[in-house]
PDB file of all heavy atoms in Angstrom:
ATOM      1  N   THR A 398       4.151  -0.884  80.137  1.00 98.00           N
ATOM      2  CA  THR A 398       5.138   0.091  79.659  1.00 98.00           C
ATOM      3  C   THR A 398       5.286   0.017  78.139  1.00 98.00           C
ATOM      4  O   THR A 398       4.598  -0.752  77.495  1.00 98.00           O
ATOM      5  CB  THR A 398       6.491  -0.072  80.358  1.00 98.00           C
ATOM      6  OG1 THR A 398       7.333   1.042  80.095  1.00 98.00           O
ATOM      7  CG2 THR A 398       7.204  -1.349  79.872  1.00 98.00           C
ATOM      8  N   GLY A 399       6.180   0.788  77.600  1.00 95.00           N
ATOM      9  CA  GLY A 399       6.486   0.728  76.159  1.00 95.00           C
ATOM     10  C   GLY A 399       5.288   1.208  75.332  1.00 95.00           C
ATOM     11  O   GLY A 399       4.583   2.152  75.739  1.00 95.00           O
ATOM     12  N   TYR A 400       5.060   0.569  74.225  1.00 98.00           N
ATOM     13  CA  TYR A 400       3.939   0.983  73.380  1.00 98.00           C
ATOM     14  C   TYR A 400       2.585   0.987  74.070  1.00 98.00           C
ATOM     15  O   TYR A 400       1.748   1.782  73.779  1.00 98.00           O
ATOM     16  CB  TYR A 400       3.897   0.028  72.134  1.00 98.00           C
ATOM     17  CG  TYR A 400       4.558   0.594  70.907  1.00 98.00           C
ATOM     18  CD1 TYR A 400       5.365   1.697  70.921  1.00 98.00           C
ATOM     19  CD2 TYR A 400       4.375  -0.019  69.661  1.00 98.00           C
ATOM     20  CE1 TYR A 400       6.006   2.179  69.808  1.00 98.00           C
ATOM     21  CE2 TYR A 400       4.972   0.465  68.494  1.00 98.00           C
ATOM     22  CZ  TYR A 400       5.772   1.582  68.591  1.00 98.00           C
ATOM     23  OH  TYR A 400       6.353   2.074  67.444  1.00 98.00           O
ATOM     24  N   GLY A 423       7.967   1.681  84.134  1.00 97.00           N
ATOM     25  CA  GLY A 423       9.046   1.245  83.243  1.00 97.00           C
ATOM     26  C   GLY A 423       9.228  -0.274  83.119  1.00 97.00           C
ATOM     27  O   GLY A 423       9.868  -0.713  82.186  1.00 97.00           O
ATOM     28  N   SER A 424       8.648  -1.035  84.027  1.00 98.00           N
ATOM     29  CA  SER A 424       8.915  -2.489  84.066  1.00 98.00           C
ATOM     30  C   SER A 424       7.909  -3.226  83.198  1.00 98.00           C
ATOM     31  O   SER A 424       6.721  -3.281  83.512  1.00 98.00           O
ATOM     32  CB  SER A 424       8.825  -3.017  85.473  1.00 98.00           C
ATOM     33  OG  SER A 424       9.633  -2.245  86.371  1.00 98.00           O
ATOM     34  N   LEU A 425       8.431  -3.822  82.137  1.00 98.00           N
ATOM     35  CA  LEU A 425       7.572  -4.592  81.225  1.00 98.00           C
ATOM     36  C   LEU A 425       6.942  -5.733  81.993  1.00 98.00           C
ATOM     37  O   LEU A 425       7.620  -6.440  82.743  1.00 98.00           O
ATOM     38  CB  LEU A 425       8.417  -5.109  80.071  1.00 98.00           C
ATOM     39  CG  LEU A 425       7.665  -5.673  78.881  1.00 98.00           C
ATOM     40  CD1 LEU A 425       6.783  -4.642  78.222  1.00 98.00           C
ATOM     41  CD2 LEU A 425       8.677  -6.238  77.857  1.00 98.00           C
ATOM     42  N   GLY A 449       0.819  -5.367  75.929  1.00 98.00           N
ATOM     43  CA  GLY A 449       1.246  -6.098  74.708  1.00 98.00           C
ATOM     44  C   GLY A 449       1.422  -7.541  75.091  1.00 98.00           C
ATOM     45  O   GLY A 449       1.384  -7.936  76.248  1.00 98.00           O
ATOM     46  N   ASP A 450       1.593  -8.394  74.049  1.00 98.00           N
ATOM     47  CA  ASP A 450       1.852  -9.823  74.337  1.00 98.00           C
ATOM     48  C   ASP A 450       3.182  -9.983  75.062  1.00 98.00           C
ATOM     49  O   ASP A 450       3.308 -10.826  75.970  1.00 98.00           O
ATOM     50  CB  ASP A 450       1.743 -10.695  73.084  1.00 98.00           C
ATOM     51  CG  ASP A 450       2.581 -10.218  71.914  1.00 98.00           C
ATOM     52  OD1 ASP A 450       2.879  -9.010  71.853  1.00 98.00           O
ATOM     53  OD2 ASP A 450       2.936 -11.049  71.062  1.00 98.00           O
ATOM     54  N   GLY A 451       4.179  -9.215  74.685  1.00 98.00           N
ATOM     55  CA  GLY A 451       5.501  -9.285  75.343  1.00 98.00           C
ATOM     56  C   GLY A 451       5.364  -9.019  76.831  1.00 98.00           C
ATOM     57  O   GLY A 451       5.981  -9.717  77.645  1.00 98.00           O
ATOM     58  N   GLY A 452       4.541  -8.065  77.215  1.00 98.00           N
ATOM     59  CA  GLY A 452       4.337  -7.759  78.616  1.00 98.00           C
ATOM     60  C   GLY A 452       3.515  -8.830  79.287  1.00 98.00           C
ATOM     61  O   GLY A 452       3.788  -9.241  80.455  1.00 98.00           O
ATOM     62  N   TYR A 455       5.122 -12.235  80.735  1.00 98.00           N
ATOM     63  CA  TYR A 455       5.855 -12.250  82.018  1.00 98.00           C
ATOM     64  C   TYR A 455       5.109 -12.971  83.150  1.00 98.00           C
ATOM     65  O   TYR A 455       5.737 -13.692  83.914  1.00 98.00           O
ATOM     66  CB  TYR A 455       6.133 -10.805  82.470  1.00 98.00           C
ATOM     67  CG  TYR A 455       7.376 -10.186  81.923  1.00 98.00           C
ATOM     68  CD1 TYR A 455       7.416  -9.712  80.632  1.00 98.00           C
ATOM     69  CD2 TYR A 455       8.487 -10.001  82.734  1.00 98.00           C
ATOM     70  CE1 TYR A 455       8.555  -9.077  80.146  1.00 98.00           C
ATOM     71  CE2 TYR A 455       9.620  -9.377  82.241  1.00 98.00           C
ATOM     72  CZ  TYR A 455       9.656  -8.929  80.953  1.00 98.00           C
ATOM     73  OH  TYR A 455      10.801  -8.299  80.476  1.00 98.00           O
ATOM     74  N   ASN A 475      -2.788  -6.585  73.294  1.00 98.00           N
ATOM     75  CA  ASN A 475      -2.446  -6.102  71.932  1.00 98.00           C
ATOM     76  C   ASN A 475      -1.439  -7.145  71.378  1.00 98.00           C
ATOM     77  O   ASN A 475      -0.240  -6.957  71.517  1.00 98.00           O
ATOM     78  CB  ASN A 475      -1.864  -4.693  72.054  1.00 98.00           C
ATOM     79  CG  ASN A 475      -1.363  -4.196  70.743  1.00 98.00           C
ATOM     80  OD1 ASN A 475      -1.731  -4.715  69.649  1.00 98.00           O
ATOM     81  ND2 ASN A 475      -0.473  -3.206  70.768  1.00 98.00           N
ATOM     82  N   ASN A 477       0.548  -8.672  68.938  1.00 98.00           N
ATOM     83  CA  ASN A 477       1.185  -8.510  67.640  1.00 98.00           C
ATOM     84  C   ASN A 477       2.377  -9.433  67.462  1.00 98.00           C
ATOM     85  O   ASN A 477       3.212  -9.246  66.553  1.00 98.00           O
ATOM     86  CB  ASN A 477       1.614  -7.042  67.442  1.00 98.00           C
ATOM     87  CG  ASN A 477       2.531  -6.553  68.529  1.00 98.00           C
ATOM     88  OD1 ASN A 477       3.095  -7.349  69.317  1.00 98.00           O
ATOM     89  ND2 ASN A 477       2.713  -5.245  68.636  1.00 98.00           N
ATOM     90  N   GLY A 479       5.149 -10.010  69.017  1.00 98.00           N
ATOM     91  CA  GLY A 479       6.526  -9.498  69.118  1.00 98.00           C
ATOM     92  C   GLY A 479       6.608  -8.290  70.012  1.00 98.00           C
ATOM     93  O   GLY A 479       5.605  -7.771  70.543  1.00 98.00           O
ATOM     94  N   PHE A 480       7.876  -7.836  70.208  1.00 98.00           N
ATOM     95  CA  PHE A 480       8.101  -6.593  70.925  1.00 98.00           C
ATOM     96  C   PHE A 480       7.971  -5.455  69.945  1.00 98.00           C
ATOM     97  O   PHE A 480       8.954  -5.001  69.362  1.00 98.00           O
ATOM     98  CB  PHE A 480       9.551  -6.605  71.481  1.00 98.00           C
ATOM     99  CG  PHE A 480       9.740  -7.396  72.745  1.00 98.00           C
ATOM    100  CD1 PHE A 480      10.991  -7.980  73.013  1.00 98.00           C
ATOM    101  CD2 PHE A 480       8.759  -7.573  73.669  1.00 98.00           C
ATOM    102  CE1 PHE A 480      11.226  -8.707  74.168  1.00 98.00           C
ATOM    103  CE2 PHE A 480       8.999  -8.265  74.853  1.00 98.00           C
ATOM    104  CZ  PHE A 480      10.223  -8.838  75.097  1.00 98.00           C
ATOM    105  N   GLY A 481       6.766  -5.002  69.702  1.00 96.00           N
ATOM    106  CA  GLY A 481       6.474  -4.039  68.639  1.00 96.00           C
ATOM    107  C   GLY A 481       7.307  -2.750  68.760  1.00 96.00           C
ATOM    108  O   GLY A 481       7.856  -2.266  67.787  1.00 96.00           O
ATOM    109  N   GLN A 482       7.401  -2.250  69.979  1.00 96.00           N
ATOM    110  CA  GLN A 482       8.085  -0.963  70.133  1.00 96.00           C
ATOM    111  C   GLN A 482       9.562  -1.062  69.664  1.00 96.00           C
ATOM    112  O   GLN A 482      10.120  -0.068  69.216  1.00 96.00           O
ATOM    113  CB  GLN A 482       8.065  -0.500  71.600  1.00 96.00           C
ATOM    114  CG  GLN A 482       8.631   0.857  71.788  1.00 96.00           C
ATOM    115  CD  GLN A 482       8.623   1.320  73.213  1.00 96.00           C
ATOM    116  OE1 GLN A 482       8.711   0.550  74.162  1.00 96.00           O
ATOM    117  NE2 GLN A 482       8.501   2.631  73.413  1.00 96.00           N
ATOM    118  N   ASN A 483      10.141  -2.220  69.761  1.00 95.00           N
ATOM    119  CA  ASN A 483      11.560  -2.359  69.507  1.00 95.00           C
ATOM    120  C   ASN A 483      11.872  -2.577  68.047  1.00 95.00           C
ATOM    121  O   ASN A 483      13.052  -2.633  67.651  1.00 95.00           O
ATOM    122  CB  ASN A 483      12.128  -3.507  70.348  1.00 95.00           C
ATOM    123  CG  ASN A 483      11.791  -3.298  71.810  1.00 95.00           C
ATOM    124  OD1 ASN A 483      10.643  -3.178  72.177  1.00 95.00           O
ATOM    125  ND2 ASN A 483      12.780  -3.270  72.663  1.00 95.00           N
TER     126      ASN A 483
HETATM  127  C1  TPP B 625      11.765  -5.432  82.530  1.00 93.65           C
HETATM  128  C2  TPP B 625      11.890  -4.829  81.208  1.00 93.65           C
HETATM  129  N1  TPP B 625      12.608  -5.410  80.213  1.00 93.65           N
HETATM  130  C3  TPP B 625      12.702  -4.863  79.019  1.00 93.65           C
HETATM  131  C4  TPP B 625      12.093  -3.669  78.717  1.00 93.65           C
HETATM  132  C5  TPP B 625      12.257  -2.994  77.322  1.00 93.65           C
HETATM  133  N2  TPP B 625      11.002  -2.962  76.580  1.00 93.65           N
HETATM  134  C6  TPP B 625      10.178  -1.895  76.666  1.00 93.65           C
HETATM  135  S1  TPP B 625       8.821  -2.069  75.703  1.00 93.65           S
HETATM  136  C7  TPP B 625       9.342  -3.532  75.135  1.00 93.65           C
HETATM  137  C8  TPP B 625       8.500  -4.268  74.160  1.00 93.65           C
HETATM  138  C9  TPP B 625       7.092  -4.448  74.565  1.00 93.65           C
HETATM  139  O1  TPP B 625       6.479  -5.413  73.787  1.00 93.65           O
HETATM  140  P1  TPP B 625       4.977  -5.771  73.982  1.00 93.65           P
HETATM  141  O2  TPP B 625       4.613  -5.810  75.406  1.00 93.65           O
HETATM  142  O3  TPP B 625       4.646  -6.941  73.192  1.00 93.65           O
HETATM  143  O4  TPP B 625       4.184  -4.493  73.410  1.00 93.65           O
HETATM  144  P2  TPP B 625       4.272  -3.839  71.940  1.00 93.65           P
HETATM  145  O5  TPP B 625       5.461  -2.962  71.929  1.00 93.65           O
HETATM  146  O6  TPP B 625       4.416  -4.992  70.971  1.00 93.65           O
HETATM  147  O7  TPP B 625       2.985  -3.130  71.801  1.00 93.65           O
HETATM  148  C10 TPP B 625      10.544  -3.894  75.709  1.00 93.65           C
HETATM  149  C11 TPP B 625      11.298  -5.166  75.435  1.00 93.65           C
HETATM  150  C12 TPP B 625      11.409  -3.039  79.777  1.00 93.65           C
HETATM  151  N3  TPP B 625      10.792  -1.838  79.653  1.00 93.65           N
HETATM  152  N4  TPP B 625      11.280  -3.652  80.999  1.00 93.65           N
END
Side-chain angles (χ1 to χ4, degrees):
T398 192
Y400 262 12
S424 308
L425 192 62
D450 51 335
Y455 273 75
N475 173 19
N477 56 15
F480 282 152
Q482 185 180 31
N483 305 55

